[in-house]
């Protein structure tokens, strides 16, 4: 595996791993609350991440794409592709709203501050970053992401080996809460992969388009997808092992950190805020850039108004928004999965036909 494959794999993983993942709420709703069978769901998602990552990265490399619009237009045609682009833009905005709610939940769970205060602080920071073009802050925050990921893994692995209830009890407790992303574990696993692919599509296309080596791009997509699957599996097992201590908790990883040591919970909460901020700014930037040119006065107004409206919408609550926005985005992502699968089968058929033709005419 060469340097380009590694870069694509790491970039793919960083796009998908956001504030919602690090908080544990996504994994809890999409996998853990189905009990032991949720482990099988993580494997389904891992395979989809690997396959879709490979196809998108390879297609982008072959097209030398500079925007996700090129891929959407190729898969769906210009008219439908344009419509999907607009729909995806609004769902990216929805993810930004979820991050505002996540900020409120983090400060409330750890410090007892009103959720509106946490959301407002993040909104002010997001508007300042988008309007004042404070790129240095984003670059600084990006340094925190590997630290947070390492912290989440350490906390989760420690929690796996410190569970205090039999498996049958944990399985029963996990399934008591009906607050799940879907009614069926397979559908939930498919939704998780599809909504993340929909959110990560713009960045993955640009990354894949930067290399002319189609094989390296495809390999990077596969490795990144399997890496994501591993992280999801470990986090899901950690949450399941402690599910009896995570009832009515909006930020499970923060609760696990608090069980280990209060100081670790403080460090975790601050790191979470940084990742939530980074994800939120990225989503609001993508939405505003869809309707205005970055660094213009119009862009600043669109950014400020969209974040302010998002703050009001975020008051529905983090858990409720994750359980509503993400599955809806997942259903939109199904269209992408079907189109990518159809494109893959069509290409395989063309290759087989070409080989058969070569055998016929030696």
């Amino acid at each position: 595996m060469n340097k380009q494959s590694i870069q694509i794999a790491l970039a793919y993983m960083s796009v998908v791993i956001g504030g919602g993942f690090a908080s544990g709420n996504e994994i809890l709703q999409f996998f853990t609350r189905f009990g032991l069978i949720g482990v099988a769901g993580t494997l389904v998602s891992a395979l989809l991440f690997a396959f879709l990552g490979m196809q998108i990265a390879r297609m982008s490399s072959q097209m030398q794409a500079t925007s996700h619009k090129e891929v959407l237009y190729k898969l769906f045609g210009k008219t439908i592709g344009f419509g999907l682009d607009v729909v995806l833009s609004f769902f990216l905005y929805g993810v930004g709203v979820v991050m505002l709610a996540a900020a409120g939940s983090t400060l409330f769970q750890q410090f007892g501050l009103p959720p509106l205060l946490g959301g407002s602080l993040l909104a002010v920071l997001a508007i300042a970053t988008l309007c004042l073009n404070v790129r240095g802050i984003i670059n600084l925050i990006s340094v925190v992401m590997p630290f947070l990921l390492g912290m989440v893994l350490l906390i989760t692995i420690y929690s796996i080996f410190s569970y205090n209830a039999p498996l049958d009890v944990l399985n029963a407790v996990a399934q008591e809460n009906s607050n799940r992303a879907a009614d069926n574990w397979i559908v939930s696993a498919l939704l998780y992969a599809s909504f993340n692919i929909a959110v990560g599509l713009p960045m993955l296309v640009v990354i894949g388009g930067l290399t002319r080596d189609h094989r390296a791009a495809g390999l990077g997509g596969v490795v990144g997808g399997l890496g994501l699957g591993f992280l999801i599996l470990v986090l899901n097992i950690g949450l399941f092992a402690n599910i009896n201590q995570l009832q009515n908790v909006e930020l499970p990883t923060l609760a696990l950190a608090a069980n280990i040591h209060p100081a670790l919970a403080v460090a975790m909460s601050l790191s979470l805020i940084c990742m939530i901020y980074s994800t939120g700014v990225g989503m609001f930037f993508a939405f505003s850039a869809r309707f205005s040119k970055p660094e213009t006065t119009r862009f600043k107004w669109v950014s400020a108004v969209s974040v302010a409206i998002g703050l009001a919408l975020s008051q529905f609550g983090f858990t409720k928004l994750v359980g509503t926005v993400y599955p809806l985005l997942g259903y939109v992502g199904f269209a992408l999965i079907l189109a990518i699968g159809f494109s893959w089968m069509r290409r395989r058929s063309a290759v087989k036909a070409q080989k058969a033709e070569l055998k016929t005419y030696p």
Side-chain angles (χ1 to χ4, degrees):
M1 187 167 62
N2 61 23
K3 182 179 179 181
Q4 289 178 322
S5 297
I6 296 173
Q7 288 176 334
I8 290 172
L10 292 176
Y12 181 19
M13 292 173 67
S14 67
V15 167
V16 174
I17 297 170
F21 173 90
S23 72
N25 196 295
E26 288 179 11
I27 306 303
L28 192 68
Q29 292 199 50
F30 281 88
F31 302 104
T32 311
R33 283 184 176 147
F34 289 98
L36 283 171
I37 197 64
V39 175
T42 63
L43 300 179
V44 171
S45 288
L47 292 175
L48 270 176
F49 276 130
F51 173 74
L52 295 172
M54 176 183 68
Q55 296 304 317
I56 294 172
R58 179 185 290 169
M59 185 185 302
S60 304
S61 176
Q62 291 170 340
M63 296 172 61
Q64 288 295 282
T66 58
S67 169
H68 67 283
K69 294 179 186 178
E70 298 171 43
V71 173
L72 287 178
Y73 290 173
K74 181 177 177 62
L75 290 173
F76 298 98
K78 193 168 185 179
T79 303
I80 298 177
F82 174 79
L84 272 177
D85 180 36
V86 174
V87 171
L88 283 177
S89 296
F90 277 97
F91 274 113
L92 292 179
Y93 176 74
V95 175
V97 173
V98 173
M99 290 302 102
L100 291 173
S105 293
T106 302
L107 294 185
F108 173 74
Q109 184 171 317
Q110 182 59 36
F111 303 107
L113 299 174
L116 179 59
L117 177 60
S120 299
L121 289 174
L122 180 62
V124 171
L125 284 173
I127 292 173
T129 304
L130 293 168
C131 293
L132 300 178
N133 194 25
V134 188
R135 296 184 184 275
I137 297 178
I138 297 180
N139 294 333
L140 179 63
I141 295 303
S142 64
V143 177
V144 178
M145 295 180 71
F147 170 74
L148 174 61
L149 182 57
M151 188 182 294
V152 169
L153 282 174
L154 288 174
I155 291 171
T156 303
I157 292 171
Y158 177 86
S159 300
I160 290 174
F161 292 101
S162 61
Y163 73 97
N164 56 8
L167 283 179
D168 56 339
V169 173
L170 294 173
N171 195 48
V173 173
Q175 297 180 62
E176 281 178 2
N177 195 320
S178 60
N179 192 11
R180 307 184 184 105
D183 293 330
N184 182 278
W185 68 271
I186 296 180
V187 174
S188 189
L190 293 174
L191 283 174
Y192 187 76
S194 63
F195 102 73
N196 274 298
I197 285 296
V199 170
L201 178 70
M203 184 60 71
L204 185 56
V205 167
V206 172
I207 295 166
L210 292 176
T211 177
R212 295 182 180 275
D213 189 339
H214 312 330
R215 290 181 178 273
L219 181 59
V222 171
V223 173
L226 293 177
L228 286 168
F230 172 74
L231 294 175
I232 294 166
L233 176 63
V234 171
L235 184 52
N236 179 47
I237 292 174
L239 296 180
F240 175 78
N242 296 270
I243 191 65
N244 57 325
Q245 304 173 52
L246 301 175
Q247 298 303 301
N248 302 314
V249 172
E250 291 206 315
L251 303 164
T253 54
L254 184 56
L256 292 180
N259 289 341
I260 298 173
H261 196 280
L264 184 60
V266 173
M268 183 69 181
S269 63
L270 295 177
S271 299
L272 266 177
I273 287 292
C274 289
M275 182 166 273
I276 288 167
Y277 161 80
S278 180
T279 303
V281 169
M283 296 299 105
F284 284 121
F285 178 88
F287 175 78
S288 299
R290 181 64 184 76
F291 301 101
S292 54
K293 187 177 180 179
E295 300 184 13
T296 62
T297 302
R298 175 182 171 84
F299 176 82
K300 294 175 182 179
W301 275 107
V302 171
S303 298
V305 172
S306 62
V307 173
I309 294 173
L311 178 61
L313 295 173
S314 71
Q315 299 311 299
F316 283 103
F318 181 45
T319 298
K320 186 174 182 180
L321 286 171
V322 168
T324 303
V325 175
Y326 287 5
L328 285 175
L329 179 54
Y331 285 115
V332 174
F334 277 160
L336 275 175
I337 291 178
L338 292 174
I340 292 169
F342 178 73
S343 176
W344 174 70
M345 289 188 292
R346 186 172 55 186
R347 188 176 65 253
R348 283 179 60 88
S349 298
V351 170
K352 287 182 179 179
Q354 189 177 27
K355 287 181 178 179
E357 188 176 344
L358 290 173
K359 288 181 180 179
T360 305
Y361 301 101

